[in-house]
Amino acid sequence: MKALVYHGTAHVVWQDIPEPGIEDAADAIVRVEAVTICGTDLHIVKGDVPELEPGRVLGHEAVGTVVETGRDVRTVAPGDRVLISCISPCGRCRFCRERRYGQCRGGGGWVLGHTADGTQAEYVRVPFADLSVHPLPRSVDSVDAVLLADVFPTAYEVGVLNGGVRPGDTVVVVGAGPIGLAAIVTARLYSPGRIVAVDLAEPRLATARRLGADVTATAGEEPEQLVADLTDGLGADVVMEAVGVPETFEMCARMARPGGRVANIGVHGKPAALHLEDLWIKDITITTGLVDTVSTPTLLGMMAAGRLPTADLVTHRFALGQMEEAYDVFGRAAETGAIKVVLGSPRHTAVQAARPVGPG
């Protein structure tokens, strides 16, 4: 089969490798039909995840069809169309029992495209399949569904829930890439007073406004002063960092009000300064985290009901074999306008609810 293989910093190749097979009774083999590229994959290619070994197939987000299962798999069967989660929980260790699947110590956690071959391939072996894949209703389009593998659960859990967004809050999202945009969408579920989006690229800010941001600012428009003006100098209740560079993290900490919350979502490859000389007196709560994906069933239900807008996030479509081109386009998002790219040829027939029958 073909797969995208990591050969070291700045070197990935779409090449032939052996097809995967069942290695454990809890495995499933899935034929990949829609797959996407994550900002974390770009961090890997840049060398920001040094523990990842050359020879690894990248990718941790996909939709596909089950073609084979191990003898212990109970929740899916060959022929089922499924969402592949970015997290593969063992379900037995201490952290899985606490539903902190991202911290799994039983051989799971962030496995695909990290410690095991990932989804940017024609076929993928998914470990712990009963908890790692989700059957998809026919009403959910595959291109939309792939955004539930990582983007929406990460934004919702690590950003909105960790940040404790409440009705009436002033919420600032720094970084209007896929994660930041999904954070805006899911923050709106809690009726904040206003959402401020900050990014370098005006096209992404335009998308943020369409998805629910009330105010937007580029870096050159002094976002810290803007937040101060909007809050009478107090600062934001919740600030989410969705970039992953030291400068934006430090800016987020400065924008939070006394007693406010900073939710770091971004993947950081370099140290960021924590200015305790300023923060020690402000009662600031800072959270970090890897997504647990416990919210995926809830988000999937919302998507099936048409309650989760996703249309503005997917900007580019490619055939599966155009993986290297897709990486180039996604990696130059400032030039190409890419927000989220999806590859593949999903086999999917949508089902629409029947019109109610009644008088008139």
Side-chain angles (χ1 to χ4, degrees), residues 208-233:
R209 288 190 290 271
R210 289 195 298 272
L211 291 173
D214 302 288
V215 183
T216 60
T218 65
E221 294 175 321
E222 299 186 358
E224 293 180 55
Q225 186 60 52
L226 172 64
V227 171
D229 291 343
L230 290 171
T231 60
D232 295 325

Side-chain angles (χ1 to χ4, degrees), residues 101-273:
Y101 297 153
Q103 303 303 319
C104 175
R105 291 298 184 268
W110 175 29
V111 172
L112 296 174
H114 186 213
T115 59
D117 285 342
T119 58
Q120 291 169 5
E122 294 177 323
Y123 292 87
V124 59
R125 179 184 71 87
V126 183
F128 308 116
D130 278 339
L131 291 173
S132 302
V133 300
H134 301 268
L136 287 174
R138 291 178 64 191
S139 61
V140 175
D141 183 80
S142 297
V143 173
D144 291 334
V146 77
L147 300 176
L148 298 183
D150 184 355
V151 172
F152 271 91
T154 295
Y156 181 54
E157 295 175 17
V158 185
V160 176
L161 296 184
N162 279 3
V165 176
R166 295 188 289 247
D169 278 353
T170 293
V171 176
V172 179
V173 179
V174 177
I179 293 290
L181 293 171
I184 290 169
V185 170
T186 51
R188 292 186 68 208
L189 300 173
Y190 291 84
S191 300
R194 63 170 71 89
I195 298 176
V196 181
V198 179
D199 199 273
L200 294 173
E202 175 53 38
R204 289 192 168 193
L205 293 176
T207 302
R209 288 190 290 271
R210 289 195 298 272
L211 291 173
D214 302 288
V215 183
T216 60
T218 65
E221 294 175 321
E222 299 186 358
E224 293 180 55
Q225 186 60 52
L226 172 64
V227 171
D229 291 343
L230 290 171
T231 60
D232 295 325
L234 192 63
D237 300 286
V238 181
V239 187
M240 302 183 204
E241 201 284 345
V243 180
V245 298
E247 294 79 8
T248 53
F249 173 79
E250 293 165 31
M251 179 173 68
C252 288
R254 291 193 298 268
M255 287 196 291
R257 67 164 171 81
R261 288 90 68 195
V262 176
N264 182 85
I265 318 173
V267 177
H268 290 263
K270 296 179 181 178

Side-chain angles (χ1 to χ4, degrees), residues 288-307:
T288 67
L290 178 65
V291 65
D292 295 312
T293 67
V294 294
S295 67
T296 302
T298 298
L299 295 169
L300 181 56
M302 293 180 62
M303 180 174 283
R307 303 289 187 183

Side-chain angles (χ1 to χ4, degrees), residues 53-72:
E53 299 176 354
R56 178 69 65 219
V57 176
L58 296 185
H60 51 265
E61 307 164 85
V63 167
T65 299
V66 177
V67 296
E68 186 181 0
T69 60
R71 65 178 180 274
D72 289 347

